[in-house]
Amino acid sequence: MTDYAIANPLREPKETFRRYAIFGLCAIIVLAVGKDIIIDKTDWERMGTLQEMIKTALFFVPEWSFFPKTVLPLLETLLIAIWGTILAVVVSVPIAYLAARNITPLPWITYPLGRGLIVLSRSTHEIIFALIYVSALGLGPLPGILALATRSVGFLAKTTAEAIENANPGPIEAIEATGANRVMVFCFGVIPQIDPILVGNVIFQLDINIRRASILGLVGGGGIGLMFAEVMQNLQYSRAGVIVVGITGMVVIGEFISNRIRQRLI
Amino acid sequence: MALLDISRLKKTYGNGEIALKGVDVSVEAQEVVALLGLSGSGKSTLLRCVNRLVEPDSGQIVLDGVDITSLNKSSLRNARRNMGMIFQEFNLIDRLTVLENVLAGTLGVTGTLRGIFRAFHGDDIQRALELCERVGIIDHTRKRADQLSGGQRQRVGIARALMQHPKILLVDEPTSALDPKIGREVMDLLKSITKEAHIPMLVSVHDIVLAKNYSDRIVGLQGGEKIFDQPTASVEAEALDQIYHEASSQTAYSSD
């Protein structure tokens, strides 16, 4: 008994064997899958030499004279992100109200409903939502906005619901004790407790949505992505280079501003 | 008939803890009744049953002729407007200003839209300022509630409860989160205000000295049962001792 207590349990022979077996198995699976999907399924003949690869990459060297034409689509992308986020906030607060265990009005019905909506929103990619909205509403920024909003509701409602669940029950109880109705208990007892968290998450979501908005155009959702798809189809790689730089710049600026704001909030 | 009449009140919590085993308490108009007992004696549960923050299992609570226990949700809200509650942990909304916290006392009678936008009526604001003056926090009305000291925070809680024009004050361990000196100041304030405004008060305490100095009548609770109920002047030391003597043999002498 004492021997076992002193000895490092990791060194116990059976345990060691099991660890190696699991490691080995994982390694075999990774290598086998790697061989199948990378080595076998790549068209090595077509890839060409390193020199040719560098030559292709140089096609993307930005053609700066094209830059002014990207400004408006970039701005549109930013607006899609902002509108999608605003819409998501408006929808997510009532969903969070349903999905917060401590205040949901009818725990057996509204709680699963709220959680279900959150899962629905979070489990689907924004491109899929965009495809659905584009086929329903046609091309343009509106389906893009709706796709982002639908995708963002889940994250915002989930984090808000969690903040509500972690809220101090004391003030909520105090407002209930004044005879206030449910809406006022929520607005007075709950919202002031969660609004710093809510604002922080909204800004974080906006930051992510700027990135998401830049690809919605690929499926007809408006913004810079549409222009990117066009120039790629026309093999205008140097213009694609300009767009990539533009998107990167916008995302970096967005991230910088959002970090600044969130730091100030905390 | 007494202003508040509680009879045969029972409550067992979901976890099986029996909090009240059929307690009768009544509060006359303008009377200060102290509920004296240790943690777990059921005094907080009793207070919370009066405005049904805790739902009693059985028994009856009648406030000014209204049977509280039989009310539906919206009538309960109406009834709650008549009961000002003051809490051990103050239960202020930290991120709102002192004045907004006091005005929260009017939410029961303020329209929903006005409440949401914090657009309170002018005369309510006037009254809130008067109450801030009365409880001694008039210099802090624009500060956020979490910037105040404990004693000041409890004064905000008192002003909020008075804002309701209550028929009765339900006060749950008002001084437990405060140091003794500040606690006595808060009790002095509560006593003088209830005398001025002729409001009766049901207050739970675990400190015998506070109960003796500030109440007209003491109700002793132990393990969910009433063990005595006498005018403060005639409560015998033995009765008080019994509460604490019993406690030393229990393990329930825990946090408060």
Side-chain angles (χ1 to χ4, degrees):
Chain A
M1 283 302 281
T2 25
D3 289 348
Y4 279 111
I6 292 164
N8 182 348
L10 294 179
R11 293 268 170 81
E12 209 198 323
K14 265 189 196 163
E15 191 65 16
T16 311
F17 176 74
R18 237 178 55 189
R19 275 164 181 273
Y20 281 129
I22 292 170
F23 256 128
L25 204 65
C26 289
I28 289 168
I29 292 170
V30 169
L31 288 174
V33 170
K35 180 187 177 295
D36 185 57
I37 64 172
I38 299 175
I39 297 178
D40 295 352
K41 293 191 176 164
T42 300
D43 187 357
W44 294 101
E45 301 299 316
R46 208 171 141 266
M47 191 168 282
T49 63
L50 189 65
Q51 268 181 332
E52 280 169 323
M53 277 190 236
I54 291 170
K55 223 167 99 186
T56 313
L58 288 177
F59 288 156
F60 284 90
V61 167
E63 173 197 329
W64 292 113
S65 59
F66 184 66
F67 184 72
K69 285 190 179 155
T70 66
V71 171
L72 220 57
L74 278 172
L75 210 62
E76 188 179 87
T77 302
L78 188 67
L79 291 177
I80 290 171
I82 291 172
W83 270 102
T85 311
I86 291 173
L87 217 58
V89 175
V90 173
V91 180
S92 69
V93 171
I95 292 180
Y97 175 75
L98 300 180
R101 202 175 278 117
N102 54 343
I103 58 162
T104 191
L106 306 163
W108 292 103
I109 303 163
T110 52
Y111 177 75
L113 178 71
R115 287 283 156 179
L117 288 171
I118 289 172
V119 170
L120 197 70
S121 157
R122 280 162 56 83
S123 61
T124 309
H125 198 276
E126 57 270 18
I127 288 291
I128 308 225
F129 284 129
L131 283 167
I132 294 169
Y133 285 119
V134 166
S135 59
L137 303 168
L139 300 174
L142 182 63
I145 289 169
L146 292 176
L148 283 189
T150 317
R151 177 71 176 86
S152 309
V153 160
F155 170 80
L156 289 176
K158 188 179 154 84
T159 50
T160 308
E162 267 158 24
I164 293 172
E165 284 172 357
N166 290 328
N168 179 358
I172 300 172
E173 208 172 43
I175 302 298
E176 281 174 353
T178 66
N181 63 31
R182 277 180 164 278
V183 179
M184 286 200 274
V185 170
F186 187 65
C187 290
F188 244 83
V190 179
I191 297 272
Q193 291 197 58
I194 62 167
D195 67 12
I197 301 170
L198 184 61
V199 172
N201 285 331
V202 168
I203 290 165
F204 183 53
Q205 190 65 58
L206 178 63
D207 184 13
I208 293 172
N209 277 347
I210 293 173
R211 234 157 299 175
R212 288 177 178 159
S214 61
I215 56 158
L216 290 173
L218 296 177
V219 292
I224 190 75
L226 189 65
M227 182 177 254
F228 186 78
E230 276 169 20
V231 299
M232 283 301 278
Q233 258 162 26
N234 298 335
L235 308 178
Q236 295 164 318
Y237 296 126
S238 53
R239 291 186 170 186
V242 176
I243 292 172
V244 170
V245 172
I247 292 173
T248 310
M250 185 170 66
V251 168
V252 168
I253 292 168
E255 193 153 333
F256 178 75
I257 293 172
S258 103
N259 276 342
R260 271 298 180 82
I261 297 176
R262 288 193 317 137
Q263 260 167 21
R264 198 164 296 179
L265 282 172
I266 300 161
Chain B
M1 193 171 167
L3 181 84
L4 175 69
D5 225 326
I6 301 169
S7 48
R8 301 181 308 281
L9 198 68
K10 288 187 184 174
K11 174 66 186 177
T12 303
Y13 285 106
N15 61 9
E17 185 199 333
I18 302 167
L20 296 171
K21 299 174 183 168
V23 176
D24 305 290
V25 177
S26 63
V27 180
E28 303 290 334
Q30 302 186 35
E31 189 184 26
V32 176
V33 176
L35 296 170
L36 184 65
L38 295 162
S39 310
S41 61
K43 54 192 193 309
S44 282
T45 305
L46 182 65
L47 272 176
R48 277 152 195 274
C49 281
V50 175
N51 60 5
R52 281 172 56 191
L53 285 177
V54 169
E55 283 293 337
D57 297 335
S58 68
Q60 205 181 31
I61 298 162
V62 179
L63 175 68
D64 202 15
V66 179
D67 179 1
I68 305 289
T69 35
S70 67
L71 298 176
N72 64 19
K73 278 195 172 175
S74 86
S75 323
L76 174 62
R77 281 201 291 272
N78 281 322
R80 278 177 174 170
R81 290 165 198 167
N82 298 323
M83 301 182 253
M85 194 166 204
I86 294 163
F87 300 85
Q88 178 177 349
E89 299 294 337
F90 328 129
N91 290 359
L92 305 181
I93 300 127
D94 282 343
R95 296 174 51 81
L96 298 186
T97 65
V98 166
L99 190 62
E100 284 170 326
N101 267 286
V102 175
L103 283 162
T106 68
L107 285 176
V109 290
T110 304
T112 302
L113 266 181
R114 274 183 177 273
I116 290 172
F117 293 105
R118 296 176 204 156
F120 294 99
H121 294 281
D123 37 352
D124 283 341
I125 296 171
Q126 186 58 40
R127 179 173 158 75
L129 288 169
E130 283 164 19
L131 286 171
C132 288
E133 174 91 62
R134 176 65 189 87
V135 301
I137 49 169
I138 191 68
D139 296 336
H140 309 293
T141 51
R142 287 177 180 280
K143 284 186 190 163
R144 259 170 56 160
D146 55 3
Q147 292 176 317
L148 268 53
S149 69
Q152 290 169 330
R153 285 160 70 78
Q154 192 56 292
R155 286 163 193 265
V156 179
I158 292 168
R160 175 173 66 187
L162 292 171
M163 200 66 207
Q164 290 175 241
H165 295 283
K167 287 180 184 168
I168 188 170
L169 282 180
L170 307 170
V171 189
D172 189 10
E173 300 260 4
T175 63
S176 296
L178 304 172
D179 69 50
K181 180 171 169 289
I182 305 289
R184 281 193 299 277
E185 285 172 17
V186 164
M187 289 304 292
D188 284 334
L189 178 69
L190 271 172
K191 189 167 185 180
S192 61
I193 282 177
T194 48
K195 291 292 174 229
E196 278 165 28
H198 309 296
I199 305 170
M201 172 161 82
L202 183 60
V203 52
S204 72
V205 285
H206 65 249
D207 181 341
I208 292 175
V209 180
L210 283 183
K212 271 183 158 173
N213 289 347
Y214 293 98
S215 67
D216 302 320
R217 199 149 53 84
I218 300 181
V219 173
L221 289 175
Q222 193 173 73
E225 283 172 304
K226 187 164 87 171
I227 55 169
F228 63 84
D229 183 347
Q230 285 162 346
T232 305
S234 66
V235 174
E236 288 150 20
E238 288 162 40
L240 296 172
D241 280 348
Q242 198 192 338
I243 288 181
Y244 285 86
H245 187 74
E246 200 68 26
S248 56
S249 60
Q250 283 175 1
T251 50
Y253 199 76
S254 60
S255 66
D256 219 332

